[in-house]
Amino acid sequence: MIELMGADIEAALNEIDIKGVESKRRSVRHCLVERGRHYPTKHVLYCAHIIKTGKKWPNLRGVGFRMVSLPRSDTQSNRIADAGIKA
């Protein structure tokens, strides 16, 4: 497991400040607030991981996991997903 440090996160924030964030990478539920700005949490971690290791995160579909999209208005589905309960 890779341990990200504060400097890795700062480097990721610098990169995001320069490159911006694609609309598909924007936050839906949580964000990191730093430097008076809001950053999509998962994208910050993704960028920090690349900066630290030089490699992208593995694609979960590529290693045998099934991914589904949840409707944003369906709070019950979101609670099920957050609790790790099988749908």
Side-chain angles (χ1 to χ4, degrees):
M1 177 170 279
I2 303 300
E3 184 176 338
L4 296 174
M5 307 300 281
D8 304 315
I9 302 300
E10 289 289 336
L13 297 178
N14 291 337
E15 182 173 313
I16 292 169
D17 286 344
I18 293 166
K19 294 182 178 179
V21 177
E22 296 176 47
S23 60
K24 67 180 183 179
R25 302 274 186 216
R26 295 190 188 273
S27 294
V28 174
R29 299 184 71 195
H30 301 95
C31 64
L32 169 69
V33 179
E34 186 66 32
R35 305 174 182 178
R37 296 185 62 188
H38 292 80
Y39 296 89
T41 308
K42 290 179 188 177
H43 189 60
V44 171
L45 294 173
Y46 175 78
C47 292
H49 183 271
I50 291 173
I51 290 167
K52 179 96 173 189
T53 66
K55 299 177 184 176
K56 293 182 179 181
W57 277 347
N59 181 328
L60 292 176
R61 287 185 181 108
V63 293
F65 289 93
R66 180 173 170 244
M67 305 293 290
V68 297
S69 296
L70 296 175
R72 290 184 186 191
S73 62
D74 189 349
T75 55
Q76 183 178 8
S77 291
N78 290 339
R79 276 190 240 118
I80 289 170
D82 291 343
I85 300 168
K86 293 181 181 178

